[in-house]
Amino acid sequence: MTNAEKPRVSGEWLDSWHVNPSLNKDYDVVDGLRGIAILLVIGCHLFYVNPRAGPALQFVGGVFAAGAWGVTVFFTLSGFLIAHPFWKRKSRDLAPITPPGYGWRRFWKIYPPLALSIVLLTPIYVARSGDASFIKTAGQWLVGWPVVVPVSGQLNPVMWSLILEVQFYLLLPLLFIFLKRASTKTCLWIVFLLLLLVPAGFRWWDISRGIYFAFHPEIRLHFPSLLDAFAFGVFLAGLDNLRTIKKSWAWFGDVGCVLLAASLPTMAWLNLHPIAAARIQTEILTWVVKLASVLMLCYIADPGHARARMLSSPWLRWCGLISYEWYLVHQPIALWARDSFGPAGGNVIKFGVIVGGSLVLGLIIAALVYRYFSLPILKYGRSRHSRP
């Protein structure tokens, strides 16, 4: 089904915010899933509760805190979108196996907004804390140092996920180059199993030795122990290019929605009533979220499916389009707001101002940065590094 044939919801205003992919199909539902992911992450970081609050409020806070799994959803989507043109070329036996302009497209998407956020946020960190070490950390991020060695997590803690993204961007073409002589189906299973089992094996081996990945106060990800987050997305992209996915698969998306929705209160309940060590509980439920993420991606099989159309609604897709910029600015704003206003002390209005103000300010900044900074750069990068 071509883009022109896809059922679309009303929202022509969104076209001016959207850059058509140069190598992939245009999946509206993927934009919507990005919107779900960023809303989960925003809720996780903006909503907070008093640690001495009663169990009911702690449970509500735990549901929002489980929204951190929105990052897992992002990784699955990234695995699907980044791997898709590789599988397309592999299935058609095109050379070279790496899509033309691959590295530059990743650069124009990731680096300019990251660099802008670092340049704008670092002076505020220094002014508020009086700690000039933020300048050194900012320089490390600007030159890509965190991809190689651990760095301080004090400067915008959410940036840990970008290290993982870059590791995946670098590893994926190497896997395809190494397996260039293998058939597409053989390559699909080998790449999937390598991405799924090797990182998980490394992670479990580290845990057995008491070594854990960390995001604070120092970011330590222990390559490749977290890269299994991309595996299911990569696998589904391969199936899509092999034309294995059927229209009926869209109902798997409903199963994925149920699993994701159920994982949030389940995590909150287990935090209050643990049945195993916290890391074991989190590991098991994270696998549930990984499965839920790829199942929701099965909505691509039928854009006309009722839930697929809901996920393709313009407002949710818009949240997905600006999600990266929103992701980069939301947490510092939330932390500074709490620090500036102090404890809410049970005052609902003050709490609403802290949370709601952070939400609105972060959204406005993200929208402006995307529309007037990131979007022109994306259009430039796509036009320069795309082939007719």
Side-chain angles (χ1 to χ4, degrees):
M1 180 177 290
T2 65
N3 291 340
E5 296 169 337
K6 289 190 307 179
R8 296 183 69 91
V9 293
S10 59
E12 289 77 8
W13 62 270
L14 193 63
D15 291 341
S16 62
W17 292 76
H18 182 63
V19 180
N20 290 325
S22 54
L23 297 177
N24 278 347
K25 300 176 185 177
D26 193 3
Y27 297 102
D28 290 353
V29 72
V30 173
D31 290 336
L33 289 172
R34 279 201 194 104
I36 294 293
I38 191 61
L39 291 175
L40 287 172
V41 174
I42 296 297
C44 166
H45 290 149
L46 264 61
F47 189 88
Y48 65 102
V49 298
N50 189 324
R52 296 188 296 274
L57 191 57
Q58 291 286 355
F59 177 80
V60 174
V63 172
F64 277 92
W69 276 321
V71 179
T72 303
V73 178
F74 274 127
F75 289 150
T76 301
L77 298 177
S78 184
F80 176 80
L81 293 173
I82 303 305
H84 204 283
F86 282 89
W87 290 121
K88 182 178 180 179
R89 298 184 68 81
K90 180 70 174 177
S91 63
R92 297 181 181 182
D93 198 25
L94 298 177
I97 191 66
T98 302
Y102 168 74
W104 279 112
R105 269 188 295 275
R106 294 297 87 216
F107 174 84
W108 294 123
K109 170 64 178 176
I110 296 297
Y111 188 78
L114 173 65
L116 179 65
S117 70
I118 291 171
V119 170
L120 294 180
L121 295 176
T122 300
I124 303 176
Y125 275 110
V126 174
R128 291 181 62 87
S129 66
D131 185 356
S133 67
F134 281 107
I135 298 176
K136 176 184 176 181
T137 304
Q140 291 174 328
W141 278 100
L142 289 173
V143 300
W145 196 244
V147 178
V148 182
V149 297
V151 296
S152 170
Q154 300 289 340
L155 181 65
N156 200 356
V158 301
M159 294 196 302
W160 70 268
S161 64
L162 302 183
I163 300 174
L164 203 60
E165 286 274 355
V166 173
Q167 289 177 351
F168 173 68
Y169 298 160
L170 296 174
L171 177 64
L172 187 67
L174 296 179
L175 292 176
F176 275 91
I177 292 171
F178 179 75
L179 294 167
K180 64 181 180 180
R181 296 188 181 278
S183 69
T184 304
K185 289 184 178 180
T186 300
C187 183
L188 174 62
W189 282 104
I190 292 176
V191 169
F192 171 60
L193 293 175
L194 284 175
L195 283 175
L196 189 71
L197 300 180
V198 174
F202 267 86
R203 183 171 64 253
W204 297 337
W205 183 49
D206 281 345
I207 291 175
S208 70
R209 297 181 297 148
I211 301 174
Y212 306 105
F213 58 87
F215 310 136
H216 184 84
E218 189 174 63
I219 300 175
R220 292 180 176 273
L221 301 186
H222 303 295
F223 175 86
S225 64
L226 297 178
L227 288 174
D228 55 312
F230 299 89
F232 287 113
V234 173
F235 186 67
L236 192 69
L239 294 180
D240 190 32
N241 277 280
L242 288 172
R243 302 185 183 278
T244 303
I245 298 177
K246 307 299 182 182
K247 188 175 181 179
S248 60
W249 284 32
W251 77 270
F252 286 129
D254 295 340
V255 178
C257 289
V258 172
L259 284 177
L260 180 62
S263 68
L264 305 180
T266 300
M267 188 74 257
W269 188 87
L270 288 175
N271 285 337
L272 295 173
H273 310 282
I275 59 176
R279 288 190 177 273
I280 295 177
Q281 293 181 165
T282 302
E283 177 75 13
I284 293 173
L285 281 176
T286 300
W287 279 98
V288 173
V289 174
K290 292 171 187 174
L291 180 60
S293 301
V294 73
L295 290 176
M296 289 191 295
L297 255 176
C298 289
Y299 281 132
I300 66 169
D302 182 11
H305 187 280
R307 259 68 67 194
R309 289 181 62 81
M310 289 175 60
L311 287 170
S312 300
S313 59
W315 75 270
L316 194 55
R317 289 183 58 215
W318 182 77
C319 289
L321 292 176
I322 68 167
S323 59
Y324 179 48
E325 288 72 15
W326 202 0
Y327 184 77
L328 288 174
V329 301
H330 78 279
Q331 192 169 29
I333 291 174
L335 295 176
W336 293 336
R338 294 181 204 175
D339 184 59
S340 298
F341 284 91
N347 187 320
V348 176
I349 295 178
K350 185 176 181 180
F351 179 83
V353 169
I354 295 172
V355 174
S358 300
L359 174 66
V360 172
L361 181 59
L363 181 60
I364 292 173
I365 292 175
L368 291 174
V369 170
Y370 175 82
R371 184 61 187 263
Y372 298 107
F373 179 76
S374 301
L375 186 60
I377 292 174
L378 281 174
K379 290 181 177 179
Y380 166 79
R382 295 282 170 87
S383 63
R384 181 175 180 179
H385 302 290
S386 298
R387 290 183 178 180

